[in-house]
Amino acid sequence: MSKNVKAILLPAVVLTAICIVCAAALGGVKLLTQDKIAEQAAAASNEAMAALFPGASFSDSLPPGTGTKDPDGLTFAALQDGAGIGYAVTSAAKGYGGDIQVMVGFDTALRVTKVIVLDASNETPGLGQNVVKAEWLSQFAGTDTSMAYDEVDAVASATYSSKGIYNAVIAAGEHLAALIGENGGGN
Amino acid sequence: MADTKTKLLPELTKGFIQENPVLRLVLGTCPTLAISTTLTGAVGMGVAATIVLIITNALISALRKVIPDKVRIPCYITIIASMVTVVQYLVKAYLPDIDKALGIYLPLITVNCIILGRADGYANRHTVAASVFDGVGMGIGFTAALSAMAILREVLGSGSIGGLAIPGISANPILIFILPPGGFFVYGLVMAVCNKLAVRKGKPAAALDCANCPGCGETGCPENDRQGGSVC
């Protein structure tokens, strides 16, 4: 009888103990690293903004000086010597393996100046991930939301990834246009 | 000390060719095919999987007398999944570049059957030291196999190596090599070469560890009969 009880209870007790220890370890590591992880994400976003508008300073009031802000916190105005020179918008769209995150730079006429991919880690390495290359992304420079997908020179065999970038860029443009339009800023 | 060393060294080297996890044991095929499109990705994946493999092999070997046989698989999975997540958090926090390169493949190490295969096939029956050596050897074997495939696939399929374009072929690469069919093609070729090397060393294929046999658990397993039903 007692042998039976042991044979049934022991595995359950050991498994429970292992689960508790593992859960505690996970919680501990999460606590230790979460600040650092948030810091890394913020650093990556700041780095991308600086790459879009070298030497500019950034403000979250849109258009600059009005005090209106993007309710989603995705849009920043770039300022040089106090004058607005453009906007940086973070946006995401579905690629092949998940969301592709991009940051798009716009000039004051809301035309794309530059696209930077923040996260395309779920795209196929060596294939879909070729969309992060600067020379491929440079085709978006000068376009606006009227650009059709037919105009994109997609990466061969990576249609979903190419379309993901296109959709994210268009979404960023529309997001910005809606914001600026709302504020009556126009150009 | 010298005696333990001579015994441990084969545990390390057997993973290179003789029992190469990818090419001889045919474990971890899915991550192998998925990640071997670029050399940098292959090396990153290999190193990350090796680190996880060493940690889990050591932990499971240390707990081998505590974990009851009946619940060993859930125990292993819990330990492996937790360790992978811990490594993932640490990489995200301190090595963001590697995190970007590995992306979805880091969490996929959880279901990399090399890890579970070595836990159940080796670490639960050997000492901690031997298991660590086995983990290092298997990890090196995995990384080497992945890198060999990645070099072939990246050069032929992307016309580059480690992300650097090779003049002459980078303009017109053979795209199929970085697509799944090319992956299987290269996998078969590299496996054939590895088999050739392993046989040349004079060890028959039957020397592979019984516990890694995919037919384990089915009736009529000769190794199981030989050992009186203690294997499966």
Side-chain angles (χ1 to χ4, degrees):
Chain A
M1 176 62 196
S2 74
K3 221 179 182 182
N4 250 340
V5 171
K6 202 182 164 198
I8 293 169
L9 273 185
L10 188 68
V13 170
V14 171
L15 183 55
T16 311
I18 287 178
C19 286
I20 290 171
V21 171
C22 285
L26 282 179
V29 175
K30 168 101 181 168
L31 273 181
L32 274 176
T33 53
Q34 62 184 4
D35 292 344
K36 190 84 188 162
I37 291 174
E39 225 171 81
Q40 296 282 11
S45 151
N46 285 340
E47 215 172 89
M49 283 207 285
L52 286 176
F53 298 102
S57 60
F58 295 92
S59 149
D60 56 358
S61 53
L62 310 161
T66 59
T68 329
K69 290 177 184 181
D70 180 357
D72 303 323
L74 299 173
T75 316
F76 292 89
L79 302 158
Q80 194 133 38
D81 305 323
I85 52 167
Y87 305 91
V89 185
T90 309
S91 136
K94 210 169 156 36
Y96 183 69
D99 273 355
I100 301 180
Q101 253 204 340
V102 301
M103 187 178 278
V104 188
F106 292 92
D107 61 16
T108 47
L110 306 193
R111 272 191 304 267
V112 176
T113 56
K114 197 174 177 183
V115 179
I116 289 178
V117 177
L118 297 178
D119 181 19
S121 55
N122 292 338
E123 304 309 296
T124 316
L127 193 60
Q129 280 189 2
N130 286 338
V131 298
V132 308
K133 290 186 175 167
E135 62 260 43
W136 188 81
L137 291 169
S138 66
Q139 64 176 305
F140 289 100
T143 62
D144 56 22
T145 49
S146 67
M147 185 192 201
Y149 179 63
D150 299 355
E151 295 168 46
V152 178
D153 178 17
V155 173
S157 291
T159 309
Y160 282 90
S161 306
S162 308
K163 203 155 189 171
I165 300 271
Y166 164 80
N167 286 337
V169 171
I170 297 295
E174 282 167 356
H175 182 76
L176 180 63
L179 272 175
I180 303 296
E182 265 171 33
N183 300 335
N187 284 353
Chain B
M1 189 63 208
D3 189 42
T4 8
K5 255 187 188 167
T6 47
K7 272 182 189 164
L8 284 176
L9 202 60
E11 302 301 337
L12 183 77
T13 53
K14 72 178 190 301
F16 297 171
I17 289 181
Q18 220 43 259
E19 289 186 32
N20 187 298
V22 177
L23 303 172
R24 296 280 286 167
L25 306 181
V26 204
L27 293 168
T29 307
C30 171
T32 303
L33 291 171
I35 199 77
S36 61
T37 50
T38 59
L39 183 57
T40 31
V43 173
M45 177 68 169
V47 171
T50 305
I51 292 168
V52 173
L53 182 57
I54 295 169
I55 298 173
T56 55
N57 255 12
L59 274 178
I60 284 163
S61 172
L63 292 171
R64 70 187 186 279
K65 295 208 172 89
V66 182
I67 296 175
D69 213 33
K70 274 182 190 156
V71 290
R72 66 182 201 284
I73 301 292
C75 289
Y76 299 160
I77 297 279
T78 310
I79 293 171
I80 292 167
S82 307
M83 282 309 121
V84 170
T85 314
V86 165
V87 169
Q88 197 187 346
Y89 280 147
L90 292 175
V91 167
K92 255 199 166 78
Y94 299 105
L95 302 163
D97 290 337
I98 294 191
D99 177 55
K100 263 187 196 168
L102 289 180
I104 199 168
Y105 299 107
L106 203 52
L108 275 183
I109 294 175
T110 310
V111 289
N112 185 329
C113 55
I114 295 173
I115 314 264
L116 185 61
R118 295 323 289 175
D120 197 34
Y122 190 91
N124 68 349
R125 287 186 263 120
H126 293 83
T127 61
V128 174
S131 300
V132 168
F133 271 71
D134 178 76
V136 175
M138 286 291 155
I140 293 173
F142 179 56
T143 313
L146 223 53
S147 304
M149 285 180 61
I151 290 171
L152 280 171
R153 292 182 71 185
E154 198 182 348
V155 167
L156 295 171
S158 298
S160 63
I161 186 84
L164 302 167
I166 300 170
I169 50 172
S170 64
N172 286 306
I174 313 165
L175 197 58
I176 194 168
F177 279 102
I178 52 172
L179 298 176
F184 280 105
F185 188 56
V186 172
Y187 190 31
L189 284 179
V190 175
M191 201 185 251
V193 171
C194 184
N195 277 346
K196 181 87 184 155
L197 287 174
V199 171
R200 191 192 283 165
K201 278 192 169 174
K203 269 196 180 178
L208 293 178
D209 200 338
C210 171
N212 295 313
C213 163
C216 203
E218 285 171 21
T219 50
C221 170
E223 183 67 15
N224 193 30
D225 293 343
R226 196 172 64 79
Q227 298 193 13
S230 64
V231 177
C232 301

